[in-house]
Amino acid sequence: MTTFKRDFIFKDNVIEIVSKNVRKYRKLAGITQEQLALDIGVSNDFLRRFETTLGKEGMALNTLYKISIVLNVSMDKFFIE
């Protein structure tokens, strides 16, 4: 079987997109940063930094999963520009 390099387009700002969407869906749900942080087991400061630095803080997939459960939003929605 021959293998070859395939071309894909990867967005450089995917974490920024996720960060903006976490904030958007949190606000739509009427939940404060403090409440969401408490619900998912992270510090309020961590969640604030994630939202305000547009993802430069980074986030574990498990944490994003917990956010999706609390906000009742499917995970794919966080990746839509």
Side-chain angles (χ1 to χ4, degrees), residues 7-18:
D7 291 320
F8 293 96
I9 298 172
F10 298 107
K11 295 180 180 181
D12 292 333
N13 65 337
V14 70
I15 297 174
E16 181 180 336
I17 293 167
V18 171

Side-chain angles (χ1 to χ4, degrees), residues 17-70:
I17 293 167
V18 171
S19 172
K20 287 178 180 179
N21 282 324
V22 165
R23 182 181 178 101
K24 176 178 96 174
Y25 289 114
R26 177 183 60 76
K27 287 186 170 215
L28 285 173
I31 298 174
T32 65
Q33 284 179 339
E34 288 178 328
Q35 185 61 56
L36 181 57
L38 182 65
D39 289 342
I40 64 172
V42 299
S43 72
N44 181 46
D45 189 52
F46 168 80
L47 192 57
R48 179 193 56 76
R49 286 192 320 265
F50 180 74
E51 286 187 3
T52 59
T53 64
L54 301 177
K56 289 184 180 116
E57 183 69 25
M59 179 182 287
L61 184 58
N62 190 48
T63 303
L64 185 60
Y65 169 73
K66 290 177 183 179
I67 290 172
S68 75
I69 297 298
V70 171

